[in-house]
Amino acid sequence: MKGIQPFSSESVTEGHPDKIADQISDEVLDRILAEDDAGRVACETLVTTDLVLVAGEVTTTAAIDIEATVREVLRDIGYTHAELGIGWDTCRVLTEIDEQSPNIARGVDGGGAGDQGMMFGYATDETPELMPLPIMLAHALVKRLADVRRSGGIAWLRPDGKAQVSVEYRDGEPARITTVVVSAQHDGHIAPGEIEAAIREEVIGPVLPSELYDEDRVRCHINPTGCFEIGGPRGDAGLTGRKIIVDTYGGVGRHGGGAFSGKDPSKVDRSAAYAARWIAKHLVAAKLARRAEVQLAYAIGVEEPVSVRVDTFGTGRRPDDELARRVTDVFDLRPREIIKRLGLRKPIYRRTAAYGHFGREPEGDGFTWERTDRTDDLAG
């Protein structure tokens, strides 16, 4: 990428309606896997004013209380009374759960993929996490919004919020931050000037790197409409799987279209997307490329991927087709083996459902796809 070009990415807080839905779906999944690690789960959630609807297909021996699960997630996020957007103890909770189709189960039982489709993983050396810089900065801003709300640092913040960061690239390298947009839900009767000053001082300043952020040159739009009192599910309905770009690479690289939350790892939308990130990160960590995108594609009920593709955007130390052959030699990409190698049958998913599935430090049994323990094998 030559010349001077901006790139923008956004993220949302855990209190954003779509992220509420993702967290409920993944908490249901976690509670099932904690009792039945062979459970099959496809859980979708809708949240709107005073209502949560949980639907999907589940086959399991576990017995969980979905209504109690929903209410605990809402309370954990901070929706403690209805005027915030939804009340954890007053909203209606509806469930509509069926069993997984036996046609799908037949293929999965044999070790095959739970669906057809293509999944992408991406990595770049522009950050220590081997992630694109704009999405990492956007995640950091919304996580900071949540942290200062929870700590009481900004007492009038409410759970909903969004952030967007534009980074200027020069010949493919991040050079400076040009624009920051922060929309933060707040209590009523807070003056716009007070909101802007607090967000600049308590959120933007502590998060953005000084070598890229010049306050005098960066355009900041903080609550651009002037008021963001009505938010959460009262301001906008939320759905599981509607923030797939926030969940991945902020718009850098391609996306296969499949969402993650609420799906057990037999669904390659999730497990193969994690594997693709795992491989792409290895390619960059092994210094075989500065940027790498990996595509995996599957047919429902079939074990081996139907295609494996590597694109290093001209940064590879070896031809892309050779790197793809190395990948298939080193990594067993059958769904059953991905699940086993990454430990995906454990209740690890609620933590992934806000602030991105990638670029996170491996912790305990979670985020195993961020490890780079096979670089020597790949480098040869």
Side-chain angles (χ1 to χ4, degrees):
M1 183 169 61
K2 297 296 184 180
I4 300 174
Q5 291 267 35
F7 195 91
S8 303
S9 294
E10 74 155 354
S11 187
V12 299
T13 66
E14 63 207 56
H16 185 280
D18 294 331
K19 279 291 139 198
I20 299 171
D22 284 343
Q23 289 170 91
I24 289 170
S25 293
D26 270 340
E27 183 66 21
V28 169
L29 171 62
D30 278 352
R31 294 192 181 196
I32 289 171
L33 292 179
E35 294 186 25
D36 173 17
D37 66 3
R40 303 274 173 78
V41 182
C43 177
E44 310 291 346
T45 302
L46 161 72
V47 299
T48 188
T49 305
D50 296 326
L51 173 67
V52 179
L53 170 63
V54 180
E57 296 77 44
V58 174
T59 302
T60 183
T61 59
I64 69 164
D65 187 332
I66 291 180
E67 179 176 343
T69 301
V70 167
R71 296 190 187 282
E72 287 177 32
V73 171
L74 290 172
R75 184 181 58 194
D76 288 348
I77 292 170
Y79 284 105
T80 52
H81 48 93
E83 72 174 43
L84 297 178
I86 193 167
W88 75 274
D89 57 345
T90 58
C91 68
R92 291 178 295 151
V93 178
L94 305 179
T95 61
E96 190 63 41
I97 302 294
D98 295 317
E99 288 195 347
Q100 183 182 65
S101 161
N103 300 145
I104 297 173
R106 184 179 302 116
V108 177
D109 290 343
D115 203 352
Q116 72 177 49
M118 64 284 188
M119 300 82 207
F120 290 91
Y122 183 85
T124 172
D125 65 0
E126 68 188 60
T127 63
E129 300 86 1
L130 304 187
M131 286 284 288
L133 180 63
I135 188 64
M136 296 304 292
L137 296 178
H139 285 325
L141 286 173
V142 291
K143 181 65 166 59
R144 178 71 178 176
L145 270 179
D147 289 345
V148 296
R149 171 179 62 87
R150 290 178 178 278
S151 70
I154 304 179
W156 40 259
L157 278 176
R158 292 180 173 183
D160 199 356
K162 305 175 77 171
Q164 183 172 288
V165 179
S166 301
V167 175
E168 180 179 279
Y169 284 76
R170 295 181 183 176
D171 295 334
E173 298 294 329
R176 68 184 185 97
I177 296 166
T178 62
T179 308
V180 176
V181 183
V182 177
S183 296
Q185 189 191 10
H186 57 85
D187 291 346
H189 313 298
I190 308 297
E194 181 181 350
I195 293 170
E196 178 166 352
I199 296 300
R200 282 180 178 272
E201 181 177 345
E202 298 293 337
V203 178
I204 296 174
V207 165
L208 298 184
S210 59
E211 66 272 19
L212 297 175
Y213 175 68
D214 182 343
E215 188 172 7
D216 294 330
R217 296 181 65 200
V218 173
R219 291 174 296 170
C220 283
H221 300 285
I222 298 171
N223 284 9
T225 65
C227 182
F228 187 9
E229 183 180 352
I230 298 172
R234 183 179 167 204
D236 189 17
L239 295 168
T240 300
R242 204 160 59 175
K243 284 291 176 283
I244 57 176
I245 299 303
V246 171
D247 285 343
T248 52
Y249 309 101
V252 177
R254 300 169 180 87
H255 196 294
F260 301 151
S261 290
K263 297 178 181 178
D264 78 81
S266 71
K267 281 73 173 174
V268 285
D269 276 345
R270 184 165 218 161
S271 54
Y274 289 174
R277 160 64 178 173
W278 186 44
I279 295 164
K281 191 172 182 182
H282 272 81
L283 287 167
V284 176
K287 301 193 182 306
L288 292 170
R290 297 195 61 195
R291 297 168 61 207
E293 181 182 80
V294 174
Q295 184 199 49
L296 307 177
Y298 290 85
I300 188 168
V302 177
E303 286 195 87
E304 296 286 350
V306 298
S307 70
V308 177
R309 181 178 187 272
V310 170
D311 187 348
T312 62
F313 309 95
T315 70
R317 291 175 51 196
R318 297 285 187 275
D320 288 345
D321 58 345
E322 180 184 327
L323 293 176
R325 287 192 294 273
R326 288 196 190 190
V327 164
T328 56
D329 287 343
V330 171
F331 296 93
D332 190 332
L333 296 174
R334 294 174 294 173
R336 182 178 293 173
E337 294 305 312
I338 292 171
I339 291 167
K340 184 187 301 182
R341 181 76 186 198
L342 296 180
L344 299 182
R345 280 279 170 202
K346 298 175 181 178
I348 57 174
Y349 295 106
R350 166 77 184 278
R351 288 172 285 171
T352 70
Y355 313 119
H357 293 245
F358 307 124
R360 311 275 289 271
E361 283 294 320
E363 48 182 69
D365 294 326
F367 301 99
T368 52
W369 48 94
E370 293 296 314
R371 295 174 182 162
T372 52
D373 53 354
R374 306 199 69 185
T375 53
D376 291 344
D377 296 336
L378 191 61

